[in-house]
Amino acid sequence: MSVTKRYGFAGAAMVLLIGLTFVIPSFSSYQLATACAYLCGIAGLTLLTGAGGQLSLGQAALMAAGAYSYALTANTMADAGTEGPLLLLVPLAAAVIGAAVLGLVIGLAAGRLHGPYLAGFTMALVVALPAVTSTFSSVLGGDQGLWITVEKRPASLRGIVSNEAWQAWLAVVCSVLVLTLLANLLHGRFGRHLRAVRDNPVAAALAGINPARTKVTAFVISSAAAGMGGGLLAYTTQSAGPGAYSLVFSLFLLMAAVVGGIGSLTGAVWGAVLLVALPHLISTATSRLELSTDLAQRLDGNLAVAIFGLVLVLVVLLAPQGIQGLLVRAGRRLGQARSVSVPPQSAKSAPSPASSTPTRLSARHEPEQLPATPKGQ
Amino acid sequence: MDRFLFLTFDGLARGAVLAAFALSLVLIWRAARIVNFAQGAMAVAATYIAFTVTALTGSYWAGLAAALVAGFLIGALVERGVMRFVGNSSALNPVIAGLGLLMLIQAILGMVFGNSYRTMVTPFSSNPVEIFGITVFSSYDLFVFACIALLVGGLVLLFTKTPLGLRLRASAFAPDLARLLGVRTSRMLTLGWAMSSALGALAALLVIPTELGLNPHAADTVFVYAFTVAVIGGLDSPAGAVLGGLAVGVLLSWVSGYGGATLAPIAILLLLLAVLLVRPGGIFSMTKERTV
């Protein structure tokens, strides 16, 4: 897909989603905003893990860094009497920068690790997060976290859109920007370098690519995307606390990236939708059933985690390319059936490369499987 | 000085548990080249079974036996049911499968037993006793030491002195050659997972009563600590896991004793960072773990 086409798609997606907020109820707008915030984090993980081959469980900690950066900046500015768009844009920028700086620090160490080592280190990062917030509780608010003074929607829009719809607008615009940037990076020179380093670091080094620098850069970019997601969550929920960025949340983000299809940014979109929709669907379904309070309390939350875990295991075993991989394969089958109609056997004897050689997970996707825009085909 | 000694001994007791848990990670790594991220959840599941058995029979020892048996079966089940089919073509696949299992097991435990913390009984008092005027071990600490020493000693004997141990080592180090020589490598792999899981279950059963209590997430921190220990010791080295476990236990005890308990996870993070930067393969490692 050409760059112009990609921008066209991005613009269309933005207009479509913003238009959607006029139709859907305000709770759905809130969900849309949350999904867009998650999407930033998941897309960052897609770049890092899918294209870079570095498995990080620390994405929640980096989103937390974004949320706290947002909170601290916004509260300081509000105390100083700042108002208007500045109180929105500067904290968002701070969220991205704050997470990127943390990502740089971690990346300098993590860029030298691989496989389970990196996963374990980033897991320690998430587990240590509550300890960090309570150690610096005078600044970070301990277990309670921080309440944030946020800039509300502009006065001219009041009465026209709900607060939730306004939050969704902001989240849609930011996440589409993040995804377009990531897509441009993945399709450009940096993406090629990243995949080269993932597939064979020695060959990449011989070709003049600096593997360490490429890995650290990937970490910083991924962290910046996560920081944007954390900033958006901070704005939407008006709070930043350690409880929201637990190990389970980190695993959820990884689950979303893997289940959506870790080879592609479109997969990240499916993952984000799933991450918001599935728990909602499950809780709606269980609330329909006549359950005792005790049982309902036990099912609450746990059922979603169980299904996510099961899905994650099944995806690794059965469909390593995730939802997007399945869709691409189904699309190819359809296309083949249409183009090779006579004789019908030829479609069978010449199966598509995707179906004849089932690729094992993320690590081996082709560049053309990386659609550029958040809305996909 | 008294406080220093007390913290050191207390750290050794906690370290023994970390050593056992790290050793269980090392066993799987040696057998299958997999870091099992579900190990903590599997151990907690076995601990819940022990808790239930103790509650039903009123005997701690029945619970202990149940934990070992349950751990053994859970390990075998996970290997036969999931890990066998994951494949090792990418280092990420087993990790992701392990994380899926982690979520699944924790959620099932939460649904069956609830998310609240439960207190577990211990067979011995955990109040420290005084020897020559210095408070050192509690009798529970000694019990923990004895259990772990017994099991680790048993494992060492099994691996070095028995034909079964030879077959286990052979199928871990040269699976193809071992198969050619008539070793049922697939069965050995399952056995390795089962033994590792039983060891993890014992470690969790011993450590959980001294922590906050039994909870589906009770082993999250323990897993991270044990992973750190395993990395420090080198994932390939059982001796490294044991020594690293004791060292990390003492270090953690000093940090929480002098600096406050909240600092322990931060200390672990920094320690892990330092070790991974200086010697990514671990202090005791023989093989090269870092590329480029």
Side-chain angles (χ1 to χ4, degrees):
Chain A
M1 193 187 298
S2 70
V3 176
T4 359
K5 217 171 163 190
R6 199 177 300 147
Y7 288 132
F9 257 121
M14 217 186 273
V15 170
L16 194 76
L17 286 173
I18 287 178
L20 197 64
T21 59
F22 288 103
V23 191
I24 55 181
S26 59
F27 180 67
S28 304
S29 291
Y30 172 77
Q31 285 183 314
L32 178 63
T34 321
C36 286
Y38 290 168
L39 178 57
C40 295
I42 298 167
L45 208 50
T46 298
L47 176 127
L48 186 69
T49 309
Q54 296 172 278
L55 180 57
S56 166
L57 308 180
Q59 205 70 353
L62 291 159
M63 288 184 80
Y68 275 105
S69 302
Y70 186 100
L72 294 173
T73 316
N75 285 350
T76 315
M77 287 176 71
D79 287 345
T82 316
E83 272 181 11
L86 264 188
L87 185 54
L88 183 60
L89 296 178
V90 176
L92 269 183
V96 174
I97 294 166
V101 169
L102 180 67
L104 178 66
V105 174
I106 301 164
L108 283 176
R112 304 167 63 172
L113 309 175
H114 62 98
Y117 290 94
L118 180 59
F121 173 68
T122 46
M123 190 177 183
L125 189 71
V126 180
V127 169
L129 177 69
V132 173
T133 54
S134 56
T135 305
F136 303 101
S137 58
S138 54
V139 187
L140 300 180
D143 288 345
Q144 303 298 318
L146 297 170
W147 291 105
I148 307 171
T149 319
V150 296
E151 170 69 14
K152 298 279 190 230
R153 58 193 187 280
S156 53
L157 286 175
R158 271 166 215 165
I160 304 172
V161 292
S162 67
N163 192 34
E164 285 84 1
W166 161 252
Q167 287 170 345
W169 289 13
L170 182 73
V172 163
V173 170
C174 289
S175 61
V176 168
L177 274 178
V178 166
L179 253 81
T180 313
L181 269 171
L182 291 183
N184 282 345
L185 279 169
L186 280 172
H187 281 269
R189 204 157 75 134
F190 176 73
R192 276 200 307 281
H193 286 187
L194 196 57
R195 284 186 289 268
V197 169
R198 175 198 68 197
D199 290 339
N200 192 333
V202 178
L206 284 173
I209 302 168
N210 183 339
R213 191 186 297 159
T214 310
K215 282 181 170 183
V216 173
T217 313
F219 223 98
V220 172
I221 294 169
S222 162
S223 307
M228 176 65 96
L232 288 174
L233 275 186
Y235 178 80
T236 315
T237 58
Q238 300 193 18
S239 66
Y245 302 97
S246 61
L247 179 61
V248 174
F249 181 58
S250 226
L251 296 183
F252 274 13
L253 292 174
L254 180 71
M255 191 255 359
V258 171
V259 171
I262 199 153
S264 79
L265 287 177
T266 316
V269 177
W270 303 132
V273 171
L274 201 67
L275 197 52
V276 172
L278 200 57
H280 180 66
L281 287 178
I282 291 169
S283 67
T284 315
T286 46
S287 65
R288 293 273 169 79
L289 300 171
E290 302 280 318
L291 296 171
S292 68
T293 358
D294 180 48
L295 188 62
Q297 211 168 11
R298 284 179 182 184
L299 285 183
D300 187 41
N302 281 326
L303 194 57
V305 180
I307 290 174
F308 280 5
L310 188 64
V311 166
L312 194 52
V313 173
L314 290 178
V315 163
V316 172
L317 292 181
L318 304 174
Q321 293 289 342
I323 295 175
Q324 179 60 17
L326 292 177
L327 287 178
V328 167
R329 209 186 291 178
R332 278 195 197 151
R333 285 250 172 85
L334 266 179
Q336 241 172 15
R338 227 178 274 157
S339 59
V340 199
S341 49
V342 214
Q345 282 87 353
S346 70
K348 251 181 209 166
S349 60
S352 71
S355 55
S356 65
T357 50
T359 40
R360 294 224 55 102
L361 190 79
S362 54
R364 307 261 172 255
H365 66 84
E366 302 302 321
E368 69 265 22
Q369 274 178 270
L370 265 176
T373 56
K375 281 315 284 178
Q377 292 82 5
Chain B
M1 190 62 199
D2 276 13
R3 183 161 169 72
F4 178 77
L5 279 179
F6 169 72
L7 287 176
T8 308
F9 283 119
D10 191 54
L12 283 175
R14 284 200 60 183
V17 175
L18 289 185
F21 205 94
L23 197 57
S24 77
L25 291 175
V26 169
L27 279 180
I28 294 184
W29 176 261
R30 278 164 73 102
R33 296 282 132 182
I34 288 174
V35 174
N36 179 23
F37 276 78
Q39 189 82 333
M42 286 157 62
V44 172
T47 310
Y48 265 107
I49 290 172
F51 178 79
T52 314
V53 168
T54 303
L56 287 177
T57 60
S59 156
Y60 179 84
W61 307 106
L64 182 76
L68 287 174
V69 173
F72 196 86
L73 294 178
I74 292 170
L77 190 72
V78 164
E79 199 277 326
R80 287 269 157 165
V82 177
M83 289 303 183
R84 165 158 307 217
F85 306 104
V86 171
N88 222 347
S89 60
S90 150
L92 305 186
N93 292 9
V95 178
I96 293 174
L99 293 169
L101 281 174
L102 170 76
M103 288 159 76
L104 184 61
I105 296 173
Q106 282 182 344
I108 290 175
L109 289 177
M111 282 190 269
V112 176
F113 296 99
N115 281 339
S116 57
Y117 286 90
R118 287 159 188 262
T119 20
M120 288 184 73
V121 288
T122 54
F124 302 102
S125 153
S126 43
N127 295 325
V129 290
E130 277 195 18
I131 302 171
F132 304 120
I134 305 167
T135 31
V136 278
F137 292 107
S138 67
S139 36
Y140 184 68
D141 287 344
L142 287 175
F143 169 67
V144 168
F145 267 128
C147 278
I148 287 170
L150 208 68
L151 208 71
V152 170
L155 278 177
V156 169
L157 283 181
L158 173 75
F159 274 102
T160 54
K161 302 285 181 200
T162 65
L164 178 64
L166 187 63
R167 286 205 289 274
L168 279 165
R169 283 187 291 152
S171 41
F173 281 106
D176 293 335
L177 192 60
R179 202 177 300 126
L180 281 175
L181 293 171
V183 177
R184 299 187 171 203
T185 46
S186 133
R187 197 175 284 181
M188 292 301 132
L189 188 60
T190 311
L191 190 60
W193 271 82
M195 290 196 311
S196 148
S197 169
L199 185 59
L202 177 79
L205 181 72
L206 292 175
V207 76
I208 284 173
T210 60
E211 304 271 324
L212 279 168
L214 188 55
N215 172 271
H217 297 272
D220 282 1
T221 329
V222 178
F223 175 83
V224 170
Y225 290 180
F227 175 81
T228 310
V229 167
V231 168
I232 290 171
L235 276 168
D236 254 324
S237 159
V242 172
L243 290 177
L246 295 175
V248 169
V250 170
L251 181 80
L252 277 180
S253 176
W254 288 341
V255 169
S256 357
Y258 292 117
T262 53
L263 285 180
I266 301 174
I268 278 290
L269 186 66
L270 294 178
L271 182 67
L272 188 57
L273 183 63
V275 171
L276 285 173
L277 283 182
V278 179
R279 271 188 78 97
I283 312 265
F284 293 82
S285 68
M286 293 161 288
T287 48
K288 194 174 179 299
E289 282 298 347
R290 193 162 91 202
T291 48
V292 185

